[in-house]
Amino acid sequence: MIESTLEALLASTRLKSAFYFSVAAGAPWATLTPHMRNIGTLVMPNAQTVLPFHIMLDGEAWCWRADDPDQKRSFRTGDILLLPRGCDHIIASGREPDVVPEPDTDVYRKAEESRAPCTYVDLGGDGPKANFVCGYFGLPRQSFHPLLEALPDLMILSPSPDKWALLRQLVEIATRQQSDRETGGKLVVSRLAETMFVDAVHQHVLADESGHGTNWLAALQDRHVGAALKALHGAPQKAWTAEQLARQSGLSRSAFMERFARLVGLPPMQYLKNWRLQLEANLLAESDLPIKQVADHCGYGAETSFHRAFKQQTGMTPGAWRRLHQD
């Protein structure tokens, strides 16, 4: 049940682009990445949500959220550091760096303006070396990804040896293409980022079997709410009612409504509305289906209802959305 619902959500993920810094650091060194609310529009101007990540190719370091220095984590060869909510964070050669330089936002602007898929950075002293890459996931506007809110602020993931070997090879291919000013280099980077993001989230979710808390992951692992999520993700075009979803969950209507809203953070009908919007936006941006067929596919009985609902949630007509995202 968990895997099928998770796959449906991850399949809707659309990462518009990603770019890398390739960092060669000699101890002692430290670097501060600002919060994405401060640099997100610099690195990915058209994204609604920007998520930074780092891959340690060789060496080791320490990392922590800038506002939580007591929670330091080791970051070693083969690890992926992911910040699902884009918080400002520090990576350093030691647990207690003498100085953490203030970030230069022009570095991010210049990297975004460059057509090269990778910008090289050297920092630090003559001590033990660490080599890592930095990148950014960009989720498009009107993305609905409740899973992101369920993930921790800072994640360190360790791919299996087979996956790490492939990931490292792809990273090296991408970084070697710095001189490739055509779209091929950035396409490699984008595909690599998307694959890594989906795999990292999948690994984390399936490894976390606690089911505690109030978030989408806890809801997914809940026997009752998880059954309802599986049903509506499996058939979003169906004219679901709260009563039908309650039957899927095995609870009374009132118990289901309370449990769903408490765990997910939204009433079930609002959740379904948001999920349909995600599917609609993807179809409009990525296909040439007539708008009526998009409306039918997402469960609207009439094209006029679809137009009205889509504009109410996005501020744009379906046609205007398509023109904007297919240009």
Side-chain angles (χ1 to χ4, degrees):
M1 178 174 70
I2 291 177
E3 289 201 39
S4 62
T5 310
L6 178 62
E7 292 298 340
L9 190 67
L10 290 177
S12 75
T13 301
R14 298 295 184 269
L15 301 178
K16 289 296 184 182
S17 61
F19 73 90
Y20 291 85
F21 292 105
S22 180
V23 181
W29 59 271
T31 180
L32 168 62
T33 300
H35 199 292
M36 291 302 104
R37 64 171 168 259
N38 296 325
I39 65 168
T41 56
L42 294 178
V43 299
M44 291 185 178
N46 296 319
Q48 171 182 287
T49 304
V50 179
L51 290 70
F53 67 89
H54 311 273
I55 306 172
M56 182 63 77
L57 298 176
D58 294 291
E60 59 183 341
W62 293 91
C63 59
W64 60 94
R65 284 172 31 200
D67 64 351
D68 192 9
D70 294 331
Q71 298 296 320
K72 294 181 169 69
R73 303 277 301 277
S74 177
F75 179 38
R76 305 180 182 215
T77 302
D79 286 343
I80 299 169
L81 170 61
L82 177 63
L83 293 301
R85 274 177 287 287
C87 61
D88 43 346
H89 55 283
I90 295 167
I91 307 176
S93 55
R95 290 177 61 96
E96 303 294 339
D98 292 333
V99 177
V100 178
E102 287 295 320
D104 180 1
T105 56
D106 280 342
V107 170
Y108 301 95
R109 182 179 294 105
K110 290 175 182 177
E112 193 279 331
E113 292 171 352
S114 170
R115 294 180 60 193
C118 179
T119 298
Y120 285 90
V121 177
D122 289 293
L123 57 88
D126 298 323
K129 302 296 183 182
N131 296 285
F132 56 97
V133 293
C134 310
Y136 301 85
F137 299 127
L139 296 172
R141 299 188 184 282
Q142 299 305 326
S143 294
F144 175 60
H145 291 286
L147 173 59
L148 292 181
E149 292 301 317
L151 297 176
D153 288 335
L154 186 152
M155 300 168 59
I156 294 181
L157 299 130
S158 300
S160 67
D162 289 346
K163 288 183 178 179
W164 169 244
L166 177 60
L167 175 61
R168 182 176 186 126
Q169 182 180 27
L170 291 173
V171 169
E172 290 174 349
I173 290 171
T175 54
R176 280 201 304 267
Q177 294 188 21
Q178 184 189 20
S179 61
D180 179 1
R181 299 288 173 172
E182 302 303 323
T183 58
K186 285 204 170 184
L187 183 60
V188 171
V189 171
S190 183
R191 292 292 177 265
L192 169 61
E194 185 169 355
T195 299
M196 188 183 70
F197 174 76
V198 171
D199 186 64
V201 171
H202 196 271
Q203 175 187 334
H204 174 77
V205 171
L206 295 184
D208 183 356
E209 298 178 352
S210 64
H212 299 308
T214 55
N215 56 43
W216 190 84
L217 180 53
L220 184 62
Q221 296 177 89
D222 181 82
R223 178 165 63 93
H224 301 289
V225 176
L229 286 170
K230 179 182 179 182
L232 63 83
H233 276 278
Q237 76 284 355
K238 184 174 178 178
W240 290 105
T241 65
E243 289 76 10
Q244 290 172 325
L245 289 171
R247 285 197 293 273
Q248 292 285 333
S249 74
L251 296 173
S252 69
R253 184 185 185 282
S254 59
F256 166 70
M257 295 289 284
E258 185 279 330
R259 193 180 189 94
F260 191 103
R262 175 167 51 84
L263 290 177
V264 178
L266 292 171
M269 293 299 102
Q270 183 62 51
Y271 182 94
L272 177 59
K273 186 177 181 181
N274 290 353
W275 175 238
R276 283 176 172 171
L277 175 64
Q278 176 69 62
L279 299 178
E280 295 154 10
N282 287 347
L283 279 174
L284 289 168
E286 298 172 4
S287 78
D288 294 321
L289 286 175
I291 290 177
K292 185 179 187 309
Q293 288 188 30
V294 174
D296 292 341
H297 183 83
C298 296
Y300 287 87
E303 187 175 348
T304 53
S305 300
F306 172 54
H307 273 262
R308 184 167 56 252
F310 193 88
K311 187 171 183 179
Q312 181 181 17
Q313 289 190 267
T314 66
M316 303 174 67
T317 65
W321 174 273
R322 168 169 278 170
R323 288 190 294 273
L324 176 64
H325 289 273
Q326 287 192 345
D327 286 344

